[in-house]
Amino acid sequence: MLINRKEFLLSLLLSITVLLSGCDTTGTGSDPKPEPDVYLVSSSDINAFTKDQLGTQIAQQFPAQYQSIIKGFLRYDVKVYKLVYNTKLPDGTATKASGAIIVPTVTTAVPMISQQHGTILNDADAPSNFGPGSDAAFGGTFFASNGYIMVCPDYIGYGESKAIPHTYEHREGLATASLDMIRAAKEFIKQKSIKWDNRLLLTGYSEGGFATMSLQKKIEEEFPSEFTLAASSIGAGAYHKTAFMKYIINQKTHGIASYNRLYLWTMLTYNSLYKLNKPMSYYLKEPYATQATQNGINININVSISDIFTDSFKKAVNDGTETGFLNAVKDNDVYDWKPKTPTYLFHGDADNLVFFFNTQDAYDAMRKRGATNVEIKPLPGKDHGTAVIDYLLQTYLFFSSVQ
């Protein structure tokens, strides 16, 4: 009996979901055209996989009873390459960065997906290192084996640029590194005579969600005619930085140390990149100020993070007199604009790392600006971790529908 592919995937998605639940700014039209062949520096082979090898690798990420099903609908062998390319740091300094490109072995032209990875703590998980825990090795190969050219930037701070501090949750740093990786990928596939149908799709989850929103906004507003954006699927990003920051400063939240380190990481990044250069004792009470000064984000904060900020810093934020920090945070708001590209916003409504209001605020602001092609996709009962599989499979269905 022949089964319609879309019906099959929908059935698969519903089955996995049931299982897991039991456990107005517009482009000007005059965007500058980049000169040809100025981004790609070098390319090198990373690996190659048959679809059967991929089936085993990818299926291991799913519950055992579904692994044979996952293996059954991968379609193509893939080749994985590392690209080194030219880009710029947030201050305009030229540098080199890297990423992975995963190419299906097909003879027809296929779309391209730029996949922005989530937060990583080790360089081994950068896409160009292609470790087993990387987004590129899981989601990247999953999509590539189904007929997409996958472009996976490392960002600044990993791979080729690992000696430079990562631009964590910084709009411009993430967007520029991702955009220039796509440009380098265009040059690479031209060199290799790889067939691309010129459609570009964007996706990312968590930090990758924020990076994807930042990238999409940059492309649509600054380079509106450079790419043919077909769709964007974004998951669990911290788009409303101002509201998020004020919430964690003023409200009692979890005492999850690994989550609190990420909030601290964002603050340290902005303090540096925006040249605020305030001592940790300005932001944090002791002993956290001394610990952060000595060890950066590698400290144990097992209380509500609101409890560790100094009273004077809280007051300055709340009465608006801390203009430097507030302006830095506001510069990273990417929730209030009008996308032109069909966009899905996924988010678990029980997420206690990146709170759901980030996505709700973005959806409400975009719809208010008249963006009728933006849809919100709440994932009921899912937290930051358990929402990932739902986001991934529903993204696949979404992207399949726009082909």
Side-chain angles (χ1 to χ4, degrees), residues 12-211:
L12 171 64
L13 173 63
L14 289 172
S15 298
I16 292 176
T17 300
V18 169
L19 176 69
L20 291 177
S21 64
C23 350
D24 176 68
T25 301
T26 59
T28 63
S30 58
D31 51 311
K33 298 297 188 297
E35 295 181 11
D37 302 321
V38 295
Y39 293 97
L40 182 63
V41 175
S42 65
S43 64
S44 56
D45 293 0
I46 294 178
N47 214 328
F49 301 93
T50 67
K51 67 177 182 178
D52 291 334
Q53 289 173 324
L54 285 178
T56 300
Q57 174 181 302
I58 295 171
Q60 290 174 351
Q61 307 290 330
F62 290 87
Q65 58 265 51
Y66 290 95
Q67 292 180 6
S68 62
I69 300 175
I70 294 296
K71 292 178 182 180
F73 71 82
L74 297 179
R75 301 162 63 192
Y76 304 112
D77 302 344
V78 304
K79 293 183 178 180
V80 188
Y81 306 86
K82 176 181 178 178
L83 303 187
V84 177
Y85 63 96
N86 292 312
T87 189
K88 292 182 179 179
L89 300 178
D91 66 1
T93 302
T95 192
K96 291 179 174 60
S98 54
I101 182 169
I102 312 170
V103 181
T105 54
V106 294
T107 56
T108 57
V110 294
M112 177 186 291
I113 297 176
S114 182
Q115 178 192 37
Q116 286 62 241
H117 68 77
T119 299
I120 59 175
L121 299 176
N122 299 299
D123 188 59
D125 291 330
S128 70
N129 290 319
F130 208 70
S134 68
D135 285 5
F138 177 40
T141 52
F142 173 84
F143 280 96
S145 186
N146 278 279
Y148 297 90
I149 300 166
M150 295 300 298
V151 177
C152 308
D154 289 341
Y155 309 146
I156 298 300
Y158 302 108
E160 191 73 11
S161 62
K162 64 183 179 182
I164 304 171
H166 173 46
T167 53
Y168 189 64
E169 290 291 317
H170 181 250
R171 171 186 58 81
E172 183 61 25
L174 294 169
T176 297
S178 300
L179 174 59
D180 290 344
M181 174 66 184
I182 299 170
R183 289 167 168 163
K186 287 173 60 179
E187 295 172 11
F188 173 77
I189 63 176
K190 183 178 179 180
Q191 288 181 9
K192 294 287 187 179
S193 299
I194 295 166
K195 295 180 179 179
W196 174 36
D197 69 10
N198 291 321
R199 287 179 296 167
L200 175 64
L201 304 96
L202 308 177
T203 193
Y205 188 87
S206 192
E207 184 186 13
F210 177 73

Side-chain angles (χ1 to χ4, degrees), residues 148 201 230-233 342-344 346 373 393-403:
Y148 297 90
L201 304 96
S232 183
S233 179
T343 301
Y344 277 13
F346 292 98
N373 54 357
L393 292 174
Q394 291 194 45
T395 295
Y396 180 85
L397 294 175
F398 174 37
F399 285 177
S400 298
S401 73
V402 300
Q403 288 197 59

Side-chain angles (χ1 to χ4, degrees), residues 231-365:
S232 183
S233 179
I234 312 178
Y239 321 117
H240 195 172
K241 282 286 194 290
T242 297
F244 196 170
M245 177 272 298
K246 289 185 176 179
Y247 186 86
I248 65 171
I249 284 177
N250 291 298
Q251 303 297 322
K252 288 283 187 181
T253 58
H254 55 76
I256 302 174
S258 60
Y259 289 8
N260 286 335
R261 289 190 193 104
L262 305 187
Y263 303 153
L264 177 62
W265 195 357
T266 304
M267 187 186 77
L268 292 175
T269 298
Y270 294 177
N271 189 53
S272 174
L273 288 181
Y274 291 90
K275 302 188 185 306
L276 306 178
N277 298 323
K278 297 287 181 65
M280 288 299 100
S281 58
Y282 172 75
Y283 297 110
L284 308 177
K285 298 176 181 176
E286 293 294 354
Y288 304 103
T290 296
Q291 292 173 356
T293 300
Q294 295 174 346
N295 302 308
I297 67 169
N298 297 311
I299 63 176
N300 187 37
I301 308 170
N302 56 5
V303 297
S304 171
I305 198 166
S306 60
D307 293 341
I308 78 167
F309 294 112
T310 63
D311 293 339
S312 58
F313 173 60
K314 282 187 176 182
K315 181 178 184 302
V317 166
N318 290 323
D319 65 20
T321 56
E322 179 37 83
T323 55
F325 183 75
L326 288 169
N327 287 339
V329 173
K330 185 176 181 180
D331 188 51
N332 289 278
D333 280 336
V334 289
Y335 75 100
D336 188 8
W337 63 290
K338 184 182 178 181
K340 297 178 181 178
T341 305
T343 301
Y344 277 13
L345 302 175
F346 292 98
H347 209 136
D349 64 7
D351 193 328
N352 64 343
L353 170 59
V354 181
F355 303 106
F356 181 77
F357 67 73
N358 281 278
T359 291
Q360 188 67 59
D361 289 358
Y363 174 75
D364 291 345

Side-chain angles (χ1 to χ4, degrees), residues 210-232:
F210 177 73
T212 300
M213 186 77 84
S214 302
L215 172 62
Q216 182 180 344
K217 187 173 187 291
K218 187 175 185 67
I219 290 174
E220 290 196 18
E221 294 183 354
E222 298 179 35
F223 305 96
S225 61
E226 186 175 344
F227 300 98
T228 302
L229 285 181
S232 183

